Amino acid sequence: MKKVLITGANGFLGKHLQKELASRYSIIATNRHSENELFYLDLLDKRSVECFLRNMNKLHIDAIIHTAARLVDGTMTKDDEMKVLEDNLEITKNTIKLANQLKCDTFINCSSMAVYPNEDGVYNEKSEIRMSCNTDCLYGLSKFCAENMFDYGIQSECRIIHLRLAQIYGDGLREDRIIPVMKQGILDKNVIEVFGNGERVSSFVSIEFVCKIIKNMLENKNAKGIYNVGEENLSYKQLAERVKKKYGNENTVIKMYEQGSRKRFFLDTQKICSFCQQDNSLEE
């Protein structure tokens, strides 16, 4: 059975990937809080990386799925966000060392659509990269730097894939993300608050779809390079209506506010759609 190492396995995406891949692969689930000393891995600590590699030196790892990263949130100062950038660059450097010493055949990097400017327009894999026009600027910058560092630093024999993920939703998502916030509004006051008069557009993707994409890219040797991964481009008004339908009732109020972003960002996913059409297992 092929061995797949998942970094950040205790995170939202990592947990779901373990469940999706467990029947087909031997999973090495690494994270900073592992009770299993063998799989403990702090990618911010060089000594931890070296210890992990000593434990793994007799194993051949077929693939690495890299999900580990520090995230930003609305409470952070600019100094805090700068530390996120610095930490993510250190994580990237140590992950390159990991990939090269383990001599993996496939490396899947979970990147982000935050590499694009959050401006009106349609963005494909060749579109302008400009994180400064994005509220997740330094996080997006860390993701774009990681893409280039992995391409430059990982052994040339390794197949490298970068997935620029849309806003992921699903069970276990962080409470400060937009869909859990809307759901909480229903639970608290039966009200969903929507800013920018609901005109803002963004791209969304289910955790199930992301896991299926990764599962099939592990098997499809033609998959390589950068892919935008999203399912739908939705206005926040449309999103609120869906959340109301799923979690609310006929008395749930969608309350609109004038203030707020009205940016209409559309993620072009034609490339990943073509991949899906070539790989019939995604339709099973």
Side-chain angles (χ1 to χ4, degrees):
M1 183 177 284
K2 291 183 177 180
K3 295 180 176 61
V4 174
L5 186 153
I6 302 173
T7 69
N10 202 41
F12 172 58
L13 177 54
K15 287 179 178 177
H16 282 271
L17 277 172
Q18 291 179 68
K19 294 177 182 177
E20 179 71 25
L21 302 177
S23 63
R24 190 176 297 189
Y25 298 96
S26 174
I27 304 298
I28 298 173
T30 69
N31 65 78
R32 298 172 65 190
H33 308 289
S34 176
E35 295 179 359
N36 184 334
E37 184 177 343
L38 183 64
F39 296 157
Y40 170 78
L41 177 61
D42 183 352
L43 285 167
L44 283 170
D45 184 344
K46 291 181 180 179
R47 290 175 297 179
S48 173
V49 175
E50 291 168 359
C51 180
F52 179 81
L53 286 169
R54 285 196 296 271
N55 288 330
M56 293 288 112
N57 62 6
K58 294 183 179 180
L59 291 179
H60 174 71
I61 304 299
D62 296 280
I64 294 175
I65 304 172
H66 180 53
T67 76
R70 283 202 61 202
L71 303 176
V72 297
D73 61 54
T75 68
M76 287 185 171
T77 65
K78 287 189 176 181
D79 285 343
D80 293 333
E81 292 184 17
M82 188 63 72
K83 186 64 166 60
V84 169
L85 170 62
E86 293 168 357
D87 286 351
N88 282 341
L89 292 178
E90 186 66 21
I91 287 170
T92 299
K93 287 192 293 183
N94 285 323
T95 303
I96 290 170
K97 182 176 182 179
L98 200 71
N100 286 335
Q101 291 202 25
L102 294 175
K103 295 182 172 21
C104 63
D105 304 312
T106 300
F107 185 88
I108 299 178
N109 171 42
C110 294
S111 188
S112 170
M113 68 178 186
V115 302
Y116 301 118
N118 189 10
E119 298 283 357
D120 294 347
V122 179
Y123 297 87
N124 62 31
E125 289 82 357
K126 295 182 179 180
S127 293
E128 177 187 21
I129 300 297
R130 185 159 50 95
M131 289 70 60
S132 58
C133 296
N134 193 319
T135 53
D136 286 334
C137 172
L138 295 183
Y139 173 74
L141 178 58
S142 75
K143 287 297 186 180
F144 184 62
C145 288
E147 290 179 8
N148 286 272
M149 290 168 70
F150 289 139
D151 286 340
Y152 177 80
I154 294 178
Q155 59 181 335
S156 58
E157 298 83 4
C158 181
R159 180 170 61 104
I160 301 174
I161 300 165
H162 304 291
L163 304 179
R164 291 177 177 169
L165 302 175
Q167 294 195 53
I168 308 177
Y169 63 88
D171 293 339
L173 185 62
R174 277 174 47 177
E175 293 181 358
D176 62 345
R177 303 292 93 175
I178 184 61
I179 292 176
V181 167
M182 288 183 172
K183 181 180 175 182
Q184 190 62 45
I186 293 174
L187 295 174
D188 291 344
K189 299 180 180 179
N190 210 18
V191 173
I192 301 174
E193 296 184 320
V194 184
F195 295 87
N197 210 31
E199 295 175 16
R200 179 181 176 185
V201 174
S202 190
S203 184
F204 297 87
V205 63
S206 68
I207 187 66
E208 292 79 12
F209 185 78
V210 173
C211 288
K212 286 181 180 179
I213 287 291
I214 291 174
K215 182 178 180 181
N216 285 275
M217 283 189 163
L218 286 171
E219 296 297 328
N220 189 327
K221 300 304 180 184
N222 293 320
K224 188 176 181 179
I226 299 171
Y227 295 83
N228 288 341
V229 181
E231 288 181 285
E232 293 183 285
N233 295 300
L234 296 172
S235 73
Y236 276 44
K237 179 180 179 182
Q238 291 173 313
L239 184 65
E241 289 169 346
R242 290 195 181 184
V243 172
K244 174 181 176 178
K245 183 176 181 180
K246 184 170 183 178
Y247 300 108
N249 52 55
E250 60 183 14
N251 295 319
T252 300
V253 174
I254 298 176
K255 188 175 182 180
M256 298 288 185
Y257 294 89
E258 286 290 327
Q259 68 269 29
S261 174
R262 286 178 165 79
K263 303 296 185 183
R264 296 174 62 80
F265 175 99
F266 294 86
L267 193 68
D268 184 332
T269 57
Q270 291 185 56
K271 186 177 179 181
I272 200 68
C273 288
S274 296
F275 172 80
C276 294
Q277 290 169 2
Q278 294 169 9
D279 199 321
N280 293 330
S281 60
L282 275 174
E283 306 301 326
E284 293 178 358

